[in-house]
Amino acid sequence: MDLQMLKKQLSSMPDYMTSYERSIAYNNGEEVDYLPFSFPGNGETLATLYGFTAQQYRSDFEIHCHIMECLNKEFGIPFTASAKLGLKGIGEALGSVVIYPENSIDYVEHHILTDYKLLSSLEFDPRTNVFLQSKITHIHKLKKRYGDKLPVGINLGGPLSSAASLRRTELLLKDSRKDKEHLHQLLDFMVYCSLEWVQFVKQEFGNVSVGIADPVSSYTVISDKTFREFSKPYLKKLVNGIFRLTGSIPGIHICGRSKPIWSDLVEIGFRNFSIDNCESLEELKNSFGTKLAISGNVPPVDVMLRGTTTDVINAVKLCLQEASDNPMGYTLDVGCQLPIGTPRENIYAYIYAAKLYGKHARKGCLCEGLLM
């Protein structure tokens, strides 16, 4: 199906609820017009659709707003303001050097914590830190333009993933065997920094939503034993702190394999888990669907970036078949971050399939759209 046909089909599929109404009704166990789904990508990854680069979106306020407005007009994506630290924000705030390529994902070029003797000298203060204050200023400008009710979201790295923005991952893995005491101190400091940021943003803007991404905690990177010793206790501390500050438990996304630690995520207290496409939605549903709302996991590279529109439609349908009857609820999403350069027609195909096969959804039941 080509782009014009997809647009034509979508024009005949009107929404009967707002995204907010749909989410509230679905979570309350009511039938909704179609299953809630997360929009694939964001302004940074989709800037090229409108003739700009990722770096222009990051650094130019007017271009940032223009792309937000384009995404809202073309796809109905609501305006939001991001106070994200992500995987590298704490490191950058504390002195690590982060490189922002013109049209690619940022990366740490120099890690500040080359020696644990430096740890005691690191100070994380959102009130005075230039990098953190630039994020606050950006949100104030967005609220001035789009209204004070503009929602603010915070995306954090898990403590172990945030630590990797200060100290190279391979050194952290070595520390987990040969320098455990210092690694525990570092992870405790990462929890402190994250909670300081959540508290500061909440004080500045009121209600905030929080999500956690933690790729270094993946079974692809560390063993389940290492996870339980070095990641689990600090994730628990972070989740408890966020709940204390916001009244809500954050969701978590883990890139890579995660099956060996699914039970641990439940024990930590997570209620919403976004799963990578290398794991099985159906298996997660069958194992922990009565305890976790789940989301995922259309393959972002093989399908969204490199696949045809038919590939996208089939992948969305398969996800709904596997997980839309999850007892605690299911949200369609991609398995990880959408790559820069994803074709416009594949985004339309994703939305089209979500609305077609996700018709008449209710928590714990297969979508009726799958049965038509």
Side-chain angles (χ1 to χ4, degrees), residues 42-71 101-104 340-341 344:
N42 53 42
E44 182 176 349
T45 58
L46 297 174
T48 55
L49 294 182
Y50 304 104
F52 298 99
T53 66
Q55 180 59 5
Q56 286 175 305
Y57 174 81
R58 300 181 194 114
S59 61
D60 189 303
F61 181 74
E62 292 302 322
I63 291 175
H64 182 101
C65 292
H66 174 71
I67 292 171
M68 284 178 59
E69 291 164 7
C70 288
L71 290 171
E102 191 65 35
N103 227 8
S104 186
I340 294 172
R344 176 181 258 108

Side-chain angles (χ1 to χ4, degrees), residues 27 38 210-212 249-254 265-266 269-275 284 291-296 326 328-331 333:
N27 288 331
S38 296
V210 183
I212 297 172
I249 295 175
I252 187 169
H253 173 75
I254 295 182
L265 299 178
V266 172
F270 287 110
R271 297 175 185 171
N272 194 310
F273 177 36
S274 168
I275 184 174
L284 176 60
K291 297 178 180 179
L292 283 172
I294 60 179
S295 60
N326 188 60
M328 288 294 289
Y330 169 67
T331 301
D333 202 349

Side-chain angles (χ1 to χ4, degrees), residues 99-142:
I99 301 299
Y100 294 87
E102 191 65 35
N103 227 8
S104 186
I105 302 302
D106 52 350
Y107 62 93
V108 180
E109 183 179 60
H110 171 70
H111 295 76
I112 189 66
L113 195 63
T114 54
D115 191 311
Y116 276 113
K117 293 178 182 178
L118 299 170
L119 183 58
S120 62
S121 67
L122 300 180
E123 182 180 2
F124 186 91
D125 188 349
R127 297 166 299 178
T128 59
N129 187 278
V130 174
F131 170 74
L132 298 175
Q133 277 295 309
S134 69
K135 290 181 173 293
I136 298 298
T137 299
H138 179 76
I139 296 172
H140 277 299
K141 290 170 69 176
L142 288 173

Side-chain angles (χ1 to χ4, degrees), residues 182-251:
H182 279 123
L183 180 54
H184 281 297
Q185 291 175 6
L186 174 59
L187 294 170
D188 202 47
F189 183 52
M190 293 300 93
V191 174
Y192 166 80
C193 294
S194 295
L195 293 179
E196 282 289 294
W197 181 242
V198 172
Q199 182 175 35
F200 185 79
V201 174
K202 186 177 187 300
Q203 289 173 344
E204 193 79 9
F205 300 109
N207 292 333
V208 295
S209 60
V210 183
I212 297 172
D214 202 6
V216 182
S217 287
S218 163
Y219 191 68
T220 305
V221 181
I222 61 174
S223 69
D224 51 339
K225 181 177 181 291
T226 301
F227 174 86
R228 293 181 185 113
E229 183 175 359
F230 292 100
S231 186
K232 184 176 181 179
Y234 298 99
L235 274 173
K236 177 68 173 176
K237 189 174 181 179
L238 179 59
V239 168
N240 290 345
I242 291 170
F243 180 73
R244 185 182 70 251
L245 292 170
T246 68
S248 298
I249 295 175

Side-chain angles (χ1 to χ4, degrees), residues 262-316:
W262 287 350
S263 61
D264 297 283
L265 299 178
V266 172
E267 290 173 7
I268 288 168
F270 287 110
R271 297 175 185 171
N272 194 310
F273 177 36
S274 168
I275 184 174
D276 196 307
N277 53 280
C278 67
E279 295 284 19
S280 167
L281 280 171
E282 188 168 28
E283 190 171 358
L284 176 60
K285 176 192 71 178
N286 292 337
S287 300
F288 295 100
T290 60
K291 297 178 180 179
L292 283 172
I294 60 179
S295 60
N297 64 353
V298 175
V301 177
D302 291 343
V303 172
M304 293 300 299
L305 176 65
R306 298 173 180 165
T308 65
T309 57
T310 300
D311 293 331
V312 175
I313 291 168
N314 289 339
V316 169

Side-chain angles (χ1 to χ4, degrees), residues 313-327:
I313 291 168
N314 289 339
V316 169
K317 184 178 181 180
L318 178 61
C319 286
L320 297 183
Q321 289 171 330
E322 290 188 345
S324 65
D325 58 347
N326 188 60

Side-chain angles (χ1 to χ4, degrees), residues 19 22-23 26-27 32 34-38 330-333 358 361:
S19 58
R22 184 177 302 109
S23 178
Y26 179 77
N27 288 331
V32 294
Y34 57 81
L35 186 80
F37 65 87
S38 296
Y330 169 67
T331 301
L332 176 71
D333 202 349

